[in-house]
Amino acid sequence: ATVGVVRAADEHELAWRGQGLLLRDRDRQIAFVWDRGGTSDLWLMPAEGGPWPTRLTFDRPAQTYWTDAPPRWSPDSRALVYESDECIYRVSVEDGQVRRLTDPGFDCHSPIFSPDGKRVYFLSKRGGTANLCYTTPEADWPVALTHLEEDVSDPRPSPDGKNVAFVFHPRQDLNRTEICVVPADGGSVRHLTGQPLVWDLLPRWSPDSARIAFVSNRSGWREVYLLEIATGNLRQLTSQSADVHFLAWSPDGTRLALSGGKDGASDLVLLSLAAQQVRVLRAQGGWHSYPRWSPDGSWLTFEFSSPVDPPDVWRIAAESGEARRLTDSLAPALRAAGLVMPELVHYPSTEGASIPGFLFRPKGASPAQPCPAVVYPHGGPTSDYPLRWDLFAQWLTAKGYAVLAPNYRGSTGYGLAHQQALHHRWGEVDTHDMLAAAD
């Protein structure tokens, strides 16, 4: 049976499939990418949920969720931009007409509209490295805003339309990324952050364009920091000894919605900037991602996935925490199959290291009734195996195998020391940890 999988989206937007839930104020529609039937096409549905979604595109090739980018709404809610086959496309919500905005062959990606809707910013490798460019919704000749010899990512126009923030990746230090801005009409690139061996990521403008919140691992964990653009004043907002993966400003600029955590989970939390207090809004032993605020700030949407829940879009009240599912991707046959929730375990490896991992136990397995086992390493190496949907692990478990997914040294999500234990020892300590998992 085909299983539809949902992913969520970004700034001023929500998402379904994992990457694309967008909510606009006027029409109250959600745009999302649905992995279904061998394609990753765009669909629309009412923000309140309801009838079967409306398909918007019909031939977008299947995309892996970790390489795909969410579609983005135009300010007037009449169009979406998205990437496909290394090109940028615009699709009309009203009639479904699609226009290609960039030429093929230049690896164009990460499109986002300017606040006035007159430009579409995107990244292009036309010169060999990913640089920031813009075109128009009418596909005028692209204009390059940066001419750097290193890659940039995650373009974010300021709400006032004057600047564009992005992440800079210097090649001389692959463990360093910086937050930069460039004037929207071109000019000198301003490096706002940058430290050796530090990742600064996810620049997000405040509604008044005066501040940028971002995530940095300079404390040893991916915590949230706030930068005042005019003064350069930098303040650390979280000290949770946990990694933050997504953040979004409330419409009034008083709060940040965050998703993050440790030990493979990512909870949904609200951060009050005035009190600098964190309140857990939802923690369900899974992976919350892409939190997005309603226009009035009274509720949010987010994507939730767990080992027993495929990615779906949820809606939650900001004050009460009352949540409800907007989409349902779990096929009835899987719902009745007795899916297994893994347990967090730690096991010893070389040099006294304690390695975390997730163990799926088949039903009925015990010391008296042992079962075969599979060691299931993730890719990366700077990635991890979290509490997300994994149909293959469930299939193996249903067939009677125990499955151990180790987060070996080098994995993210367990602090900088665990992640950097792999430095200059790639293929050594990670191999030891996987052999120890088998033992």
Side-chain angles (χ1 to χ4, degrees):
T2 298
V3 178
V5 180
V6 184
R7 296 187 259 156
D10 234 333
E11 215 73 32
H12 306 302
E13 302 137 356
L14 320 172
W16 191 11
R17 174 249 249 168
Q19 295 260 53
L21 176 74
L22 315 179
L23 173 66
R24 294 311 302 183
D25 211 16
R26 190 188 72 173
D27 295 327
R28 301 281 180 163
Q29 289 193 97
I30 292 173
F32 58 91
V33 178
W34 201 353
D35 292 332
R36 175 184 173 87
T39 68
S40 295
D41 278 306
L42 277 63
W43 296 66
L44 295 172
M45 70 176 294
E48 297 291 333
W52 187 258
T54 302
R55 192 169 185 171
L56 194 57
T57 65
F58 293 86
D59 57 359
R60 188 170 184 257
Q63 312 284 319
T64 53
Y65 75 86
W66 59 88
T67 62
D68 202 6
R72 305 293 177 86
W73 283 101
S74 62
D76 62 7
S77 306
R78 293 178 178 174
L80 291 154
V81 286
Y82 63 95
E83 62 184 65
S84 183
D85 291 327
E86 299 186 356
C87 292
I88 306 302
Y89 291 84
R90 174 187 179 275
V91 59
S92 168
V93 173
E94 296 170 347
D95 59 16
Q97 292 296 310
V98 175
R99 168 177 283 180
R100 180 166 52 82
L101 303 185
T102 63
D103 292 333
F106 298 109
D107 191 6
C108 298
H109 56 282
S110 303
I112 186 170
F113 275 97
S114 61
D116 61 7
K118 296 180 179 179
R119 294 179 178 179
V120 176
Y121 295 103
F122 64 97
L123 303 178
S124 172
K125 288 191 174 181
R126 182 179 290 265
T129 57
N131 271 284
L132 176 63
C133 307
Y134 72 84
T135 182
T136 67
E138 291 73 38
D140 289 330
W141 190 258
V143 176
L145 288 179
T146 64
H147 301 83
L148 302 170
E149 296 182 357
E150 289 97 349
D151 292 330
V152 306
S153 66
D154 200 7
R156 296 284 162 168
S158 59
D160 63 10
K162 296 180 179 179
N163 295 284
V164 183
F166 58 88
V167 178
F168 173 67
H169 302 255
R171 291 187 175 179
Q172 68 272 21
D173 184 353
L174 298 182
N175 295 289
R176 171 177 178 161
T177 58
E178 305 173 9
I179 307 299
C180 299
V181 296
V182 64
D185 292 325
S188 298
V189 171
R190 181 182 173 191
H191 295 252
L192 301 180
T193 71
Q195 292 184 17
L197 300 176
V198 167
W199 289 348
D200 294 335
L201 302 163
L202 302 178
R204 299 294 182 263
W205 292 95
S206 61
D208 62 3
S209 301
R211 299 165 291 172
I212 291 179
F214 66 96
V215 170
S216 176
N217 66 356
R218 61 188 67 196
S219 72
W221 296 88
R222 296 189 186 187
E223 305 275 13
V224 181
Y225 292 77
L226 185 65
L227 178 67
E228 301 283 346
I229 303 299
T231 65
N233 181 54
L234 183 65
R235 181 161 56 109
Q236 183 174 343
L237 296 182
T238 61
S239 301
Q240 304 294 309
S241 295
D243 282 352
V244 173
H245 307 286
F246 301 92
L247 68 158
W249 285 88
S250 64
D252 61 6
T254 63
R255 292 175 291 177
L256 285 166
L258 314 174
S259 61
K262 54 186 176 182
D263 292 334
S266 181
D267 299 334
L268 180 64
V269 302
L270 295 184
L271 169 64
S272 169
L273 272 67
Q276 203 162 321
Q277 292 180 342
V278 170
R279 176 168 66 94
V280 176
L281 196 57
R282 191 173 188 268
Q284 294 292 324
W287 194 264
H288 296 79
S289 54
Y290 300 100
R292 293 296 170 255
W293 293 87
S294 64
D296 65 1
S298 64
W299 51 270
L300 303 95
T301 61
F302 60 92
E303 179 194 316
F304 178 71
S305 169
S306 82
V308 297
D309 297 285
D312 272 311
V313 176
W314 290 68
R315 173 171 167 160
I316 190 168
E319 296 305 322
S320 69
E322 181 180 355
R324 62 185 177 92
R325 187 196 303 262
L326 297 183
T327 65
D328 192 349
S329 297
L330 188 60
L334 289 175
R335 193 183 304 278
L339 301 176
V340 172
M341 191 72 178
E343 61 184 283
L344 176 66
V345 299
H346 293 81
Y347 63 90
S349 186
T350 57
E351 303 174 2
S354 178
I355 307 304
F358 287 101
L359 177 63
F360 294 78
R361 294 179 182 267
K363 293 181 179 179
S366 69
Q369 294 181 302
C371 63
V374 173
V375 175
Y376 187 31
H378 64 78
T382 50
S383 182
D384 67 329
Y385 189 94
L387 287 170
R388 286 181 178 169
W389 176 247
D390 187 341
L391 194 57
F392 183 58
Q394 295 288 354
W395 183 84
L396 287 170
T397 307
K399 294 296 181 182
Y401 293 91
V403 177
L404 177 57
N407 281 310
Y408 51 78
R409 280 171 283 182
S411 301
T412 50
Y414 295 86
L416 201 57
H418 188 79
Q419 175 187 319
Q420 294 184 347
L422 194 64
H423 284 194
H424 309 294
R425 305 177 72 185
W426 190 0
E428 179 185 341
V429 296
D430 48 348
T431 302
H432 293 167
D433 296 347
M434 286 184 279
L435 293 173
D439 293 339

